[in-house]
Amino acid sequence: RLPFLVISPYTKANTVSHTRLEQPSVLTFIEQNWGVKAIGDTSFDARANSFTSLLDFRHPQQRAVLLRDDGTVKKVTHVKVPAAH
């Protein structure tokens, strides 16, 4: 098992999901979000869960966190991220 980390201004802050995700979950998200057909009935993306429960397109985070090489926080700045339609 591997952690599935979602980094985006649209991720919900301090959220941990217990939904089982796998690599094809990215394809499932793309297919659902942009209305694209699945690759096929028996493909892995047809059975994979999406990670949309980790996202909030109406309330994006309005800050950028810059890290140092060692992973510590260097600076937090305010940015303007538009809400998705």
Side-chain angles (χ1 to χ4, degrees):
R1 294 184 179 178
L2 297 171
F4 192 92
L5 185 63
V6 179
I7 300 173
S8 167
Y10 301 102
T11 56
K12 294 178 184 174
N14 303 317
T15 300
V16 175
S17 173
H18 297 285
T19 302
R20 290 185 179 191
L21 300 173
E22 50 191 315
Q23 289 178 336
S25 295
V26 175
L27 292 176
T28 301
F29 169 75
I30 292 168
E31 292 163 356
Q32 291 175 352
N33 196 50
W34 285 282
V36 180
K37 287 185 177 181
I39 293 172
D41 295 335
T42 58
S43 64
F44 289 114
D45 59 312
R47 68 174 173 86
N49 293 318
S50 178
F51 55 87
T52 54
S53 64
L54 294 170
L55 302 170
D56 182 357
F57 290 111
R58 292 175 292 176
H59 304 99
Q61 298 295 313
Q62 301 293 323
R63 62 181 183 254
V65 180
L66 304 175
L67 302 177
R68 293 185 184 93
D69 291 339
D70 64 359
T72 60
V73 175
K74 179 178 180 178
K75 182 167 72 169
V76 178
T77 60
H78 180 78
V79 294
K80 181 65 178 159
V81 178
H85 294 43

